[in-house]
Amino acid sequence: MNGLKLVVFDLAGTTVKDRGQVSDAFTVALSEHEIEVTPEQLSSVRGSSKRQAVLQFIPEGPERARRAEQVYASFREHLTASYRVEGVEPVDGAEQIFGWLKEKNVRVALNTGFDRDITGLLLKALGWEEVADAVVCGDEVRRGRPAPYLIFHAMEATGATDVREVANVGDTVLDLEAGHNALVRWNVGVLSGAHDRQLLEGAPHTHLLQSIAELRTLWHDDD
């Protein structure tokens, strides 16, 4: 398997279909607290820790931390309701890729800007409680993307010790910036989620794919 021992996957937009629920939940939660944001502003924080993303939109002031917690609570409520009503589906081919990697003795980790509660809801809805060797959430590291800590934590949890044996896969600029900062061997962008080809081409990457269903083709591109 070309020396790779771990592949770290993002969730929403990369392994889980993104129907706009995250952006919609952000927009509604912020609007409830009289904070208006543009689609471009929302796009710029896709892939980040959701708590950090909320805080960026709260004006400075003595009540900033309290307001941020209120907005974040609203975001969680709206997103959870949306997932429960609309359901959750994997990106086509995701489960087959997970199985193929495990057959090749490559460990699988999931990392996300969601907190553990929302992540647990998603994994339960998908029946993915046992699909990954590790799951790392945004509330379990000191800083979210573009910091590399989600990836490093996934390495620690799976026993990986060399970034040259790790691949990172995500659908946002921040996903790819985190992979770049972690110095992973493969830093793979996928076009199945939040950001389009133009945005991802401008981010640090080693490969761009339509979706993770194409991931196995990369094993023919490397020594």
Side-chain angles (χ1 to χ4, degrees), residues 177-190:
E177 289 178 346
H180 176 73
N181 290 335
L183 301 177
V184 296
R185 181 171 179 175
W186 286 353
N187 196 26
V188 183
V190 292

Side-chain angles (χ1 to χ4, degrees), residues 34-97:
E34 300 181 342
I35 300 170
E36 301 300 324
V37 294
T38 66
E40 292 75 19
Q41 287 174 311
L42 284 177
S43 178
S44 72
V45 299
R46 292 301 301 271
S48 66
S49 161
K50 301 308 177 273
R51 285 185 184 275
Q52 291 177 11
V54 166
L55 187 61
Q56 290 185 45
F57 297 124
I58 308 300
E60 294 287 347
E63 296 294 303
R64 188 181 188 216
R66 182 184 63 81
R67 290 187 71 194
E69 282 302 309
Q70 290 177 336
V71 174
Y72 181 71
S74 295
F75 162 73
R76 290 180 76 253
E77 180 181 344
H78 289 296
L79 184 62
T80 299
S82 178
Y83 280 144
R84 284 179 173 154
V85 171
E86 298 179 21
V88 183
E89 292 183 63
V91 167
D92 295 341
E95 293 170 341
Q96 289 81 359
I97 287 293

Side-chain angles (χ1 to χ4, degrees), residues 49-150:
S49 161
K50 301 308 177 273
R51 285 185 184 275
Q52 291 177 11
V54 166
L55 187 61
Q56 290 185 45
F57 297 124
I58 308 300
E60 294 287 347
E63 296 294 303
R64 188 181 188 216
R66 182 184 63 81
R67 290 187 71 194
E69 282 302 309
Q70 290 177 336
V71 174
Y72 181 71
S74 295
F75 162 73
R76 290 180 76 253
E77 180 181 344
H78 289 296
L79 184 62
T80 299
S82 178
Y83 280 144
R84 284 179 173 154
V85 171
E86 298 179 21
V88 183
E89 292 183 63
V91 167
D92 295 341
E95 293 170 341
Q96 289 81 359
I97 287 293
F98 296 155
W100 180 74
L101 289 171
K102 291 197 170 187
E103 287 175 3
K104 302 298 183 182
N105 295 315
V106 177
R107 291 183 287 276
V108 170
L110 301 173
N111 73 151
T112 177
F114 294 139
D115 63 27
R116 178 59 65 171
D117 288 343
I118 293 176
T119 303
L121 172 69
L122 284 175
L123 297 182
K124 183 176 181 181
L126 291 162
W128 282 7
E129 293 97 329
E130 307 296 329
V131 78
D133 298 288
V135 179
V136 186
C137 303
D139 56 346
E140 295 169 348
V141 294
R142 187 158 188 168
R143 288 184 60 194
R145 307 171 183 128
Y149 303 139
L150 286 168

